[in-house]
């Protein structure tokens, strides 16, 4: 099988980026996963969560991360700043005010997410930095 190495057009990356941020702001991130992610997309966290690998492969695995977040955290507020586009990638700055349901500890969190888009406009990689 050959790998398609074509770069996406700038307008394709911008459209994907704006659609993802739109889903984040509207609270429809699950639909964003279905519409915008390649089936074999890779997600990389800044640190390991509970001894798990930092890397998750596939949309089903990424959906599992969303399940964990929604089960574990009570989100009081969330915001998405961006997107900021550069070539085949874009970044978004996320801020959350959330309480860990297990510990009861409330935290203000901020992270940068970096997304890579293929020529078809699908997100193939997401990386989180905090």
């Amino acid at each position: 099988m050959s790998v398609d190495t074509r770069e996406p057009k700038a307008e394709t990356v911008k459209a994907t980026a704006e659609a993802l941020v739109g889903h984040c702001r509207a609270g429809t991130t699950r639909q964003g996963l279905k519409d915008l992610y390649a089936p074999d997309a890779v997600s990389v966290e800044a640190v390991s969560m509970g001894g798990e690998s930092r890397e998750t492969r596939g949309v089903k695995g990424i959906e599992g991360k969303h399940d964990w977040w929604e089960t574990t955290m009570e989100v009081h507020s969330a915001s998405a700043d961006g997107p900021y586009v550069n070539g085949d990638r874009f970044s978004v700055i996320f801020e959350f005010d959330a309480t860990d349901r297990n510990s009861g500890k409330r935290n203000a969190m901020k992270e940068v997410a970096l997304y890579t888009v293929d020529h078809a406009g699908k997100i193939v990689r997401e990386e989180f930095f905090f």
Side-chain angles (χ1 to χ4, degrees):
M1 174 173 18
S2 65
V3 175
D4 190 338
T5 59
R6 291 180 289 174
E7 289 284 323
K9 294 180 180 178
E11 56 270 11
T12 300
V13 177
K14 184 177 180 189
T16 299
E18 289 175 349
L20 179 76
V21 170
H23 281 295
C24 293
R25 290 179 179 150
T28 56
T29 55
R30 297 295 181 138
Q31 190 61 47
L33 285 171
K34 291 177 184 161
D35 295 346
L36 302 172
Y37 281 67
D40 58 349
V42 175
S43 179
V44 182
E45 290 292 337
V47 296
S48 171
M49 300 295 184
E52 298 293 321
S53 172
R54 290 178 46 227
E55 189 172 289
T56 301
R57 294 188 170 272
V59 171
K60 292 292 184 199
I62 296 170
E63 287 175 341
K65 287 176 41 176
H66 284 252
D67 291 340
W68 174 86
W69 173 261
E70 292 167 4
T71 301
T72 306
M73 305 302 284
E74 177 186 355
V75 178
H76 308 291
S77 66
S79 67
D81 181 25
Y84 302 96
V85 178
N86 182 348
D88 66 342
R89 300 181 299 172
F90 68 93
S91 62
V92 180
I93 301 167
F94 292 105
E95 292 190 62
F96 301 96
D97 174 16
T99 299
D100 183 313
R101 295 181 200 276
N102 297 319
S103 70
K105 185 176 179 186
R106 188 169 179 163
N107 290 301
M109 298 172 259
K110 188 173 190 175
E111 69 182 356
V112 175
L114 178 65
Y115 300 90
T116 304
V117 178
D118 69 9
H119 78 280
K122 297 295 185 183
I123 294 169
V124 295
R125 186 175 182 87
E126 62 179 16
E127 300 173 75
F128 298 96
F129 304 82
F130 66 90

